[in-house]
């Protein structure tokens, strides 16, 4: 990742934000990308699917397609 991109932060995560360092680490490692307007929206709620995607990608766990899911 280019240094210019890595040094830029999300426009709504100030350096004094409680999770500034963690959010930027996830961005720098490609786990999260934020929104097209350059924001991260740290106060927005996550769905269970979004949360699991972050957890799995942060731990380099590869997803596989299930052939037959036992629930809708």
């Amino acid at each position: 990742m280019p240094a210019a991109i890595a040094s830029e932060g999300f426009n709504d995560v100030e350096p004094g934000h409680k999770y500034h360092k963690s959010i930027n680490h996830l961005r720098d490692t490609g786990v999260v990308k934020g929104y097209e307007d350059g924001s991260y929206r740290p106060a927005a709620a996550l769905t269970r699917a979004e949360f699991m995607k972050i957890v799995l990608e942060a731990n380099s766990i590869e997803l596989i397609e299930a052939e037959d899911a036992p629930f809708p």
Side-chain angles (χ1 to χ4, degrees):
M1 179 173 301
I5 293 173
S7 66
E8 295 175 10
F10 292 112
N11 60 24
D12 60 345
V13 182
E14 299 294 325
H17 187 279
K18 183 177 182 178
Y19 298 113
H20 177 265
K21 193 173 188 178
S22 298
I23 291 169
N24 285 330
H25 173 73
L26 291 173
R27 186 207 60 236
D28 293 346
T29 55
V31 174
V32 298
K33 294 178 180 74
Y35 294 90
E36 287 184 15
D37 65 358
S39 68
Y40 179 73
R41 303 178 190 166
L46 288 175
T47 66
R48 288 179 285 189
E50 291 168 333
F51 175 75
M52 284 309 302
K53 184 173 188 261
I54 291 170
V55 170
L56 295 173
E57 288 194 18
N59 290 287
S60 301
I61 298 171
E62 189 175 331
L63 297 177
I64 58 171
E65 292 270 337
E67 294 208 13
D68 191 22
F71 50 87

